[in-house]
């Protein structure tokens, strides 16, 4: 059975607004799940499907066995459970049930949940209520803190010493590489880089190891690779020297350097409650780990936040939010200069579909925002921005987003050119201006979501592009 996850469920007096098909499909962990869920999105295999006013949806799906699969979704999380043996999260039955609910077909509501669904929903709400209570302050309680702060401090000091040794060794290796000429990097093959990365893992500097492995792929990346290799070596050298002189850095930048070399940070900033619009959700593989990124925009605060979650290879990360909905929730930021990462806290109601895009800027302002962010974090690959009134137009072998009312444009990143989202963006535009949210970086602009011109009431459907 799949386990639940997600935020705090909350009963609401009014019926929960149903999601769109696009918002449901954005939750799929992969393309095969998306297709399988689509085949279960009709009334045929379902019986006893219903929903209530608190955001719960349930149903029985006929499978290959004699007993139907019992599927329940709490859209306030969202969270899912199903009696099927699938290890994907959400499974195809949960996706099919949500598609059935989104189409308003054969899902009774508001109704009372059957016993098998009500038990799981009640259990979730009890757990949420317990988590919402302040941690116990007595001896041995959750809020008692480390049993031995001095021992924890010594462990941190020993790890810092190992990282320092790794950074010093890496500096020597980079010096040897440049003295021998960049052409040697192409001749030595990937083994030299992998051996260097392994040395950084031994030094407990996982962030340095990741960057070294990325360097090893550059000599095989096509024409112009020496320039790109030199640029990335310079950034790695900058990170090394920043760590070695971390005591002289201002604390926000020092926190960023610690995160970049691989030390885990804590989400201990002041909590921010807002109505957060889910802009995008996508997964990227990183060796044996899959990283899920969820971009949020706070309508009241104007802040952009990034939620990160991780899953083992072959399994999608647990945290998931449908693109295009707005959640009334509290986020706790992580420390670090220029860092947008936050942790999702309590939610104060069910997610509701919304159609108002974030306020956008011009292409020139987007580049300026990225440049400003680089002053706080020189290792940033990109920065989240929203472009307003831009038109996708072909440019040579690629595409760019041109300001409809100006003479500036941003090229699309190479990674965006091979995705189906590019053609969804072109079709949405049809030559007319659109609003696009994405990541602006040194490789170009990577579009993540788009909106056509707003209607008279200021709404527009969010179209996921990734």
């Amino acid at each position: 059975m799949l386990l639940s996850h997600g935020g705090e469920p909350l009963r609401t007096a009014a019926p929960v607004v149903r999601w769109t098909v696009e918002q449901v499909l954005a939750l799929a962990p992969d393309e095969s799940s998306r297709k399988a869920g689509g085949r279960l999105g009709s009334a045929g295999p379902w019986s006893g499907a219903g929903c209530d006013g608190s955001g719960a949806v349930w149903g029985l799906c006929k499978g290959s066995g004699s007993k139907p699969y019992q599927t329940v979704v709490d859209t306030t999380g969202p969270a899912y459970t199903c009696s099927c043996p699938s290890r994907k999260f959400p499974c195809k039955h949960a996706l099919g049930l949500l598609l059935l609910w989104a189409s308003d077909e054969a899902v009774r509501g508001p109704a009372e949940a059957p016993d098998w669904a009500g038990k799981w929903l009640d259990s979730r709400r009890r757990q949420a209520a317990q988590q919402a209570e302040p941690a116990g302050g007595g001896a041995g309680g959750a809020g008692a803190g480390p049993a031995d702060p001095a021992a924890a401090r010594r462990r941190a000091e020993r790890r810092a010493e190992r990282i320092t040794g790794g950074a010093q060794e890496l500096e020597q290796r980079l010096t040897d590489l440049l003295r021998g000429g960049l052409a040697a990097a192409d001749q030595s093959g990937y083994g030299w880089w992998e051996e260097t990365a392994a040395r950084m893992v031994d030094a407990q500097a996982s962030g340095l190891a990741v960057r070294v492995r990325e360097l090893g792929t550059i000599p095989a990346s096509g024409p112009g690779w020496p320039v790109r290799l030199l640029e990335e070596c310079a950034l790695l050298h900058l990170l090394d020297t920043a760590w070695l002189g971390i005591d002289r850095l201002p604390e926000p930048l020092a926190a960023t350097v610690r995160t970049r070399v691989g030390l885990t940070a804590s989400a201990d900033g002041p909590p921010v409650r807002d109505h957060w619009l889910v802009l995008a959700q996508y997964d990227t593989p990183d060796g044996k780990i899959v990283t899920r990124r969820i971009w949020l925009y706070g309508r009241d605060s104007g802040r952009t936040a990034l939620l990160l979650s991780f899953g083992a290879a072959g399994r999608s990360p647990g945290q998931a939010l449908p693109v295009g909905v707005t959640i009334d929730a509290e986020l706790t930021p992580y420390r670090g200069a220029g860092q947008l990462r936050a942790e999702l806290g309590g939610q104060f109601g069910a997610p509701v579909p919304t159609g108002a895009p974030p306020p956008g800027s011009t292409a020139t302002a987007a580049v300026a925002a990225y440049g400003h962010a680089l002053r706080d974090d020189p290792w940033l690959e990109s920065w989240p921005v929203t472009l307003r009134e831009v038109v996708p137009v072909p440019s040579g072998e690629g595409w760019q987003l041109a300001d409809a009312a100006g003479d500036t444009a941003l090229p699309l990143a190479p990674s965006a050119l091979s995705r189906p989202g590019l053609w969804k963006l072109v079709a949405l535009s049809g030559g007319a201006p659109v609003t696009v949210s994405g990541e602006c970086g040194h490789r170009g602009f990577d579009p993540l979501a788009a909106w056509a011109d707003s209607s008279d009431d200021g709404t527009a459907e969010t179209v996921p592009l990734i």
Side-chain angles (χ1 to χ4, degrees), residues 19-30 33-35 37-38 95 98-99 281 322 464:
W19 299 346
T20 66
V21 170
E22 287 277 5
Q23 289 164 344
V24 173
L25 293 178
L27 295 173
D30 50 41
S33 298
R34 192 174 289 111
K35 292 180 180 178
L95 291 171
L98 286 174
L99 289 172
Q281 173 182 291

Side-chain angles (χ1 to χ4, degrees), residues 50-70:
C51 62
D52 65 13
S54 70
V57 187
W58 59 85
L60 299 171
C61 186
K62 182 179 180 182
S64 57
S66 58
K67 293 184 178 180
Y69 296 121
Q70 298 176 342

Side-chain angles (χ1 to χ4, degrees), residues 24 67 97 105 110 136 145 173 201 225 299 308 356 413 422 451 454:
V24 173
K67 293 184 178 180
L97 178 62
E105 181 181 355
R173 289 181 177 235
V201 173
W225 67 264
R299 294 205 174 278
L308 288 180
L422 170 61
W451 300 261
S454 300

Side-chain angles (χ1 to χ4, degrees), residues 216-233:
T217 65
I218 294 178
S221 62
W225 67 264
V227 174
R228 294 191 293 274
L229 180 59
L230 183 60
E231 292 172 347
E232 295 301 324
C233 283

Side-chain angles (χ1 to χ4, degrees), residues 93 125 139 142 180 182 230 240 264 313-314 343 347 355 359 378 433 439 452 460:
H93 305 101
R125 287 163 183 145
L182 292 180
L230 183 60
D240 279 341
T264 55
E343 187 175 284
Q347 298 184 41
E439 299 173 7

Side-chain angles (χ1 to χ4, degrees), residues 337-384:
Q339 298 297 306
L340 298 171
R341 186 182 175 188
E343 187 175 284
L344 180 63
Q347 298 184 41
F348 307 94
V352 295
T354 184
S361 62
T362 63
T364 301
V367 174
Y370 176 50
H372 182 80
L374 284 174
R375 295 189 302 178
D376 294 329
D377 185 353
W379 304 278
L380 272 177
E381 292 287 330
S382 58
W383 187 254

Side-chain angles (χ1 to χ4, degrees), residues 217-251:
T217 65
I218 294 178
S221 62
W225 67 264
V227 174
R228 294 191 293 274
L229 180 59
L230 183 60
E231 292 172 347
E232 295 301 324
C233 283
L235 285 172
L236 187 52
H237 166 69
L238 181 65
L239 183 56
D240 279 341
T241 53
W243 171 262
L244 296 174
I246 197 168
D247 293 339
R248 300 190 299 272
L249 299 179
E251 179 50 35

